[in-house]
């Protein structure tokens, strides 16, 4: 349940940024704390997290169909894959057993949800 809530929060944050950018407004990420993240320490873990987040954002930048259900499914797949990619970074570099266990649970849950969403997309064809 916590995984789903986190995924929804991250999606809504991404949608609010995308919506503001589409409306012509420039988002000042430095004021939102994102600038600090981008200028953070140059460690292998930080680079891996940034790569995962950039990949997710790139793949979420899709052409909308106008079908709310289909657009949701297509947007959530890269969002969930981003969570998997970030969890894999945690497993590679993280040390806290509780956080590592959460990362493993996220991978399992998100992989199952991606498979389910892909099935639903196929059923819509």
């Amino acid at each position: 349940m916590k995984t789903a809530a986190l995924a929804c929060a991250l999606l809504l944050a991404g949608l609010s940024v995308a919506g503001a950018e589409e409306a012509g407004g420039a988002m000042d990420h430095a004021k939102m704390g994102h600038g600090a993240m981008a200028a953070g320490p140059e460690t292998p873990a930080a680079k891996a997290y940034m790569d995962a987040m950039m990949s997710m954002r790139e793949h979420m930048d899709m052409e909308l169909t106008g079908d709310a259900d289909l657009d949701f499914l297509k947007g959530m797949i890269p969002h969930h894959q981003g969570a998997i990619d970030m969890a894999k970074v945690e497993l590679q570099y993280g040390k806290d057993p509780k956080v590592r266990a959460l990362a493993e649970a996220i991978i399992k849950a998100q992989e199952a949800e991606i498979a389910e969403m892909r099935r639903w997309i196929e059923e819509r064809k």
Side-chain angles (χ1 to χ4, degrees), residues 76-121:
M76 287 303 292
I77 290 172
H79 175 74
H80 280 33
Q81 184 61 53
I84 291 168
D85 295 344
M86 291 177 69
K88 288 179 178 179
V89 174
E90 167 57 27
L91 294 177
Q92 183 175 359
Y93 297 103
K95 303 204 181 344
D96 186 317
K98 289 180 184 177
V99 179
R100 290 175 57 81
L102 176 61
E104 289 173 349
I106 287 171
I107 291 169
K108 182 178 180 181
Q110 300 297 305
E111 285 177 341
E113 290 177 9
I114 287 172
E116 185 173 30
M117 287 184 281
R118 286 188 173 139
R119 280 191 302 273
W120 289 347
I121 290 170

Coordinates of all heavy atoms in Angstrom, one line a residue, residues 76-121:
M76 N 2.2 5.4 -16.9 CA 2.6 4.7 -15.7 C 3.7 3.7 -15.9 O 4.5 3.4 -14.9 CB 1.4 4.1 -15.0 CG 0.4 5.1 -14.4 SD 1.2 6.2 -13.1 CE 1.5 5.0 -11.8
I77 N 3.8 3.1 -17.0 CA 4.8 2.0 -17.2 C 6.2 2.6 -17.1 O 7.0 2.1 -16.3 CB 4.6 1.3 -18.6 CG1 3.3 0.5 -18.5 CG2 5.8 0.5 -19.0 CD1 2.9 -0.1 -19.8
P78 N 6.6 3.7 -17.7 CA 7.9 4.2 -17.5 C 8.1 4.8 -16.1 O 9.2 4.7 -15.5 CB 8.1 5.3 -18.5 CG 6.7 5.6 -19.0 CD 5.9 4.4 -18.8
H79 N 7.0 5.3 -15.5 CA 7.0 5.7 -14.1 C 7.4 4.6 -13.2 O 8.3 4.7 -12.3 CB 5.7 6.3 -13.7 CG 5.6 6.8 -12.3 ND1 6.2 7.9 -11.8 CD2 4.9 6.2 -11.3 CE1 5.9 8.0 -10.6 NE2 5.1 7.0 -10.2
H80 N 6.7 3.4 -13.4 CA 7.0 2.3 -12.5 C 8.4 1.7 -12.8 O 9.1 1.3 -11.9 CB 6.0 1.2 -12.8 CG 4.7 1.4 -12.0 ND1 4.2 2.6 -11.8 CD2 3.8 0.5 -11.5 CE1 3.0 2.5 -11.1 NE2 2.8 1.2 -11.0
Q81 N 8.8 1.7 -14.1 CA 10.1 1.3 -14.5 C 11.2 2.2 -13.8 O 12.2 1.7 -13.3 CB 10.4 1.3 -16.0 CG 11.7 0.7 -16.4 CD 11.9 -0.8 -16.0 OE1 11.0 -1.6 -16.3 NE2 12.9 -1.1 -15.3
G82 N 10.9 3.5 -13.7 CA 11.8 4.4 -13.0 C 12.0 4.0 -11.5 O 13.1 4.0 -10.9
A83 N 10.9 3.6 -10.9 CA 10.9 3.1 -9.5 C 11.8 1.8 -9.4 O 12.6 1.7 -8.4 CB 9.5 2.9 -9.0
I84 N 11.6 1.0 -10.3 CA 12.4 -0.3 -10.4 C 13.9 0.1 -10.5 O 14.8 -0.5 -9.8 CB 12.0 -1.2 -11.5 CG1 10.6 -1.8 -11.2 CG2 13.0 -2.4 -11.7 CD1 9.9 -2.5 -12.4
D85 N 14.2 0.9 -11.4 CA 15.6 1.3 -11.7 C 16.2 2.0 -10.5 O 17.4 1.7 -10.1 CB 15.7 2.3 -12.9 CG 15.3 1.6 -14.2 OD1 15.2 0.3 -14.2 OD2 15.0 2.3 -15.2
M86 N 15.4 2.8 -9.8 CA 16.0 3.5 -8.6 C 16.1 2.4 -7.4 O 17.1 2.5 -6.7 CB 15.0 4.6 -8.1 CG 15.1 5.8 -9.1 SD 13.9 7.1 -8.6 CE 14.7 7.7 -7.1
A87 N 15.2 1.5 -7.3 CA 15.3 0.4 -6.3 C 16.6 -0.4 -6.6 O 17.2 -0.8 -5.6 CB 14.1 -0.4 -6.3
K88 N 16.9 -0.6 -7.8 CA 18.1 -1.4 -8.2 C 19.4 -0.7 -7.8 O 20.3 -1.3 -7.3 CB 18.1 -1.8 -9.7 CG 17.1 -2.8 -10.0 CD 17.1 -3.2 -11.5 CE 16.1 -4.3 -11.8 NZ 16.1 -4.6 -13.3
V89 N 19.3 0.7 -7.9 CA 20.5 1.5 -7.4 C 20.6 1.3 -5.9 O 21.7 1.1 -5.4 CB 20.3 3.0 -7.8 CG1 21.4 3.8 -7.1 CG2 20.2 3.1 -9.3
E90 N 19.5 1.3 -5.2 CA 19.5 1.1 -3.7 C 20.2 -0.3 -3.4 O 21.0 -0.4 -2.5 CB 18.1 1.2 -3.1 CG 18.0 0.7 -1.7 CD 18.9 1.3 -0.7 OE1 19.3 2.5 -0.9 OE2 19.2 0.7 0.3
L91 N 19.7 -1.3 -4.1 CA 20.3 -2.6 -3.9 C 21.8 -2.7 -4.2 O 22.5 -3.4 -3.5 CB 19.5 -3.7 -4.7 CG 18.1 -3.9 -4.3 CD1 17.4 -4.9 -5.1 CD2 18.0 -4.3 -2.8
Q92 N 22.2 -1.9 -5.2 CA 23.6 -1.9 -5.5 C 24.5 -1.1 -4.5 O 25.6 -1.6 -4.1 CB 23.9 -1.3 -6.9 CG 25.3 -1.4 -7.4 CD 25.5 -0.9 -8.8 OE1 24.5 -0.5 -9.5 NE2 26.7 -0.9 -9.2
Y93 N 24.0 0.0 -4.0 CA 24.8 0.9 -3.2 C 24.3 1.0 -1.7 O 25.1 1.4 -0.9 CB 24.8 2.3 -3.8 CG 25.5 2.3 -5.2 CD1 24.8 2.4 -6.3 CD2 26.9 2.2 -5.3 CE1 25.4 2.4 -7.6 CE2 27.5 2.2 -6.5 CZ 26.7 2.3 -7.7 OH 27.3 2.3 -8.9
G94 N 23.0 0.7 -1.5 CA 22.5 1.0 -0.1 C 23.0 -0.1 0.9 O 23.3 -1.2 0.5
K95 N 22.9 0.3 2.1 CA 23.4 -0.5 3.2 C 22.4 -0.9 4.2 O 22.4 -1.9 4.9 CB 24.6 0.1 3.8 CG 25.7 0.4 2.8 CD 27.1 0.4 3.5 CE 28.2 0.7 2.5 NZ 28.1 0.6 1.1
D96 N 21.3 0.0 4.4 CA 20.3 -0.2 5.4 C 19.4 -1.4 5.1 O 18.8 -1.3 4.0 CB 19.5 1.1 5.5 CG 18.5 1.1 6.7 OD1 17.8 0.0 6.9 OD2 18.4 2.1 7.4
P97 N 19.4 -2.4 5.9 CA 18.6 -3.6 5.6 C 17.1 -3.3 5.4 O 16.4 -3.9 4.5 CB 18.8 -4.5 6.8 CG 20.0 -4.0 7.5 CD 20.1 -2.5 7.1
K98 N 16.5 -2.3 6.1 CA 15.1 -2.0 5.9 C 14.9 -1.3 4.6 O 13.9 -1.6 3.9 CB 14.7 -1.0 7.1 CG 14.6 -1.7 8.4 CD 14.1 -0.7 9.5 CE 14.1 -1.4 10.8 NZ 13.7 -0.4 11.9
V99 N 15.8 -0.4 4.2 CA 15.6 0.3 2.9 C 15.8 -0.7 1.8 O 15.1 -0.7 0.8 CB 16.5 1.5 2.8 CG1 16.4 2.2 1.5 CG2 16.3 2.5 3.9
R100 N 16.8 -1.6 1.9 CA 17.0 -2.6 0.9 C 15.8 -3.5 0.7 O 15.4 -3.9 -0.4 CB 18.3 -3.4 1.2 CG 19.6 -2.6 1.1 CD 20.8 -3.3 1.5 NE 21.0 -4.6 0.8 CZ 21.5 -4.7 -0.5 NH1 21.9 -3.6 -1.1 NH2 21.6 -5.9 -1.0
A101 N 15.2 -3.9 1.9 CA 14.0 -4.7 1.8 C 12.9 -4.0 1.1 O 12.1 -4.6 0.3 CB 13.6 -5.2 3.2
L102 N 12.7 -2.7 1.4 CA 11.7 -1.9 0.7 C 12.0 -1.9 -0.8 O 11.1 -2.1 -1.6 CB 11.7 -0.5 1.2 CG 10.7 0.5 0.5 CD1 9.3 0.0 0.6 CD2 10.9 1.9 1.1
A103 N 13.3 -1.7 -1.2 CA 13.6 -1.7 -2.6 C 13.3 -3.0 -3.3 O 12.7 -3.1 -4.4 CB 15.1 -1.4 -2.8
E104 N 13.5 -4.1 -2.6 CA 13.1 -5.4 -3.2 C 11.6 -5.6 -3.3 O 11.2 -6.1 -4.3 CB 13.7 -6.6 -2.3 CG 15.2 -6.7 -2.3 CD 15.8 -7.7 -1.3 OE1 15.0 -8.1 -0.4 OE2 17.0 -8.0 -1.4
A105 N 10.9 -5.1 -2.4 CA 9.4 -5.1 -2.4 C 8.9 -4.2 -3.6 O 8.0 -4.6 -4.3 CB 8.8 -4.7 -1.1
I106 N 9.5 -3.1 -3.8 CA 9.1 -2.2 -4.8 C 9.4 -2.9 -6.2 O 8.5 -2.8 -7.1 CB 9.9 -0.8 -4.7 CG1 9.3 0.0 -3.6 CG2 9.8 -0.1 -6.0 CD1 10.1 1.2 -3.2
I107 N 10.5 -3.5 -6.3 CA 10.8 -4.2 -7.6 C 9.7 -5.2 -7.9 O 9.2 -5.3 -9.0 CB 12.2 -4.8 -7.6 CG1 13.3 -3.7 -7.6 CG2 12.4 -5.7 -8.8 CD1 14.7 -4.1 -7.3
K108 N 9.4 -6.0 -6.9 CA 8.5 -7.1 -7.1 C 7.1 -6.5 -7.5 O 6.4 -7.0 -8.4 CB 8.4 -8.0 -5.9 CG 7.5 -9.1 -6.0 CD 7.5 -10.0 -4.7 CE 6.5 -11.1 -4.8 NZ 6.5 -12.0 -3.6
A109 N 6.6 -5.5 -6.7 CA 5.3 -5.0 -7.0 C 5.2 -4.2 -8.3 O 4.3 -4.4 -9.0 CB 5.0 -4.0 -5.8
Q110 N 6.2 -3.4 -8.6 CA 6.2 -2.6 -9.8 C 6.3 -3.5 -11.1 O 5.7 -3.2 -12.1 CB 7.3 -1.6 -9.8 CG 7.2 -0.6 -8.7 CD 6.0 0.2 -8.7 OE1 5.7 0.9 -9.6 NE2 5.3 0.2 -7.6
E111 N 7.1 -4.6 -11.0 CA 7.2 -5.5 -12.2 C 5.9 -6.2 -12.4 O 5.4 -6.3 -13.6 CB 8.3 -6.5 -11.9 CG 9.7 -6.0 -12.1 CD 10.8 -7.0 -11.8 OE1 10.5 -8.0 -11.1 OE2 11.9 -6.7 -12.2
A112 N 5.2 -6.6 -11.4 CA 3.8 -7.2 -11.5 C 2.8 -6.2 -12.1 O 2.0 -6.5 -13.0 CB 3.3 -7.7 -10.2
E113 N 2.9 -4.9 -11.6 CA 2.0 -3.9 -12.1 C 2.3 -3.5 -13.6 O 1.3 -3.3 -14.4 CB 2.0 -2.7 -11.2 CG 1.4 -3.0 -9.9 CD 1.5 -1.8 -8.9 OE1 1.9 -0.7 -9.3 OE2 1.1 -2.0 -7.7
I114 N 3.5 -3.5 -14.0 CA 3.9 -3.2 -15.4 C 3.3 -4.3 -16.3 O 2.8 -4.0 -17.3 CB 5.4 -3.1 -15.5 CG1 5.9 -1.7 -14.9 CG2 5.8 -3.2 -17.0 CD1 7.4 -1.6 -14.9
A115 N 3.5 -5.6 -15.8 CA 3.0 -6.7 -16.6 C 1.5 -6.6 -16.8 O 0.9 -6.8 -17.9 CB 3.4 -8.0 -16.0
E116 N 0.8 -6.2 -15.7 CA -0.7 -6.1 -15.8 C -1.1 -4.9 -16.7 O -2.0 -5.1 -17.5 CB -1.2 -5.8 -14.4 CG -2.7 -5.8 -14.3 CD -3.2 -5.7 -12.8 OE1 -2.5 -5.1 -12.0 OE2 -4.3 -6.2 -12.6
M117 N -0.4 -3.8 -16.6 CA -0.7 -2.7 -17.5 C -0.5 -3.0 -18.9 O -1.3 -2.6 -19.8 CB 0.1 -1.4 -17.0 CG -0.5 -0.8 -15.7 SD 0.4 0.7 -15.3 CE 1.9 0.1 -14.6
R118 N 0.6 -3.7 -19.2 CA 0.9 -4.1 -20.6 C -0.2 -5.1 -21.1 O -0.6 -4.9 -22.3 CB 2.3 -4.8 -20.7 CG 3.4 -3.8 -20.6 CD 4.7 -4.4 -20.9 NE 5.7 -3.3 -20.9 CZ 6.9 -3.4 -20.4 NH1 7.3 -4.5 -19.9 NH2 7.8 -2.4 -20.5
R119 N -0.7 -6.0 -20.3 CA -1.8 -6.8 -20.7 C -3.1 -6.0 -21.0 O -3.7 -6.2 -22.0 CB -2.1 -7.8 -19.6 CG -1.2 -9.0 -19.6 CD -1.7 -10.1 -18.7 NE -1.9 -9.7 -17.3 CZ -1.0 -9.7 -16.3 NH1 0.2 -10.1 -16.6 NH2 -1.3 -9.3 -15.1
W120 N -3.4 -5.0 -20.2 CA -4.5 -4.2 -20.4 C -4.4 -3.4 -21.7 O -5.4 -3.2 -22.4 CB -4.7 -3.2 -19.2 CG -5.2 -3.9 -18.0 CD1 -5.7 -5.2 -17.9 CD2 -5.3 -3.4 -16.7 NE1 -6.0 -5.5 -16.6 CE2 -5.8 -4.4 -15.8 CE3 -4.9 -2.1 -16.1 CZ2 -5.9 -4.1 -14.4 CZ3 -5.0 -1.9 -14.8 CH2 -5.6 -2.9 -13.9
I121 N -3.2 -2.9 -22.0 CA -3.0 -2.1 -23.2 C -3.2 -3.1 -24.4 O -3.9 -2.7 -25.4 CB -1.6 -1.5 -23.3 CG1 -1.5 -0.4 -22.3 CG2 -1.2 -1.1 -24.7 CD1 0.0 0.1 -22.1

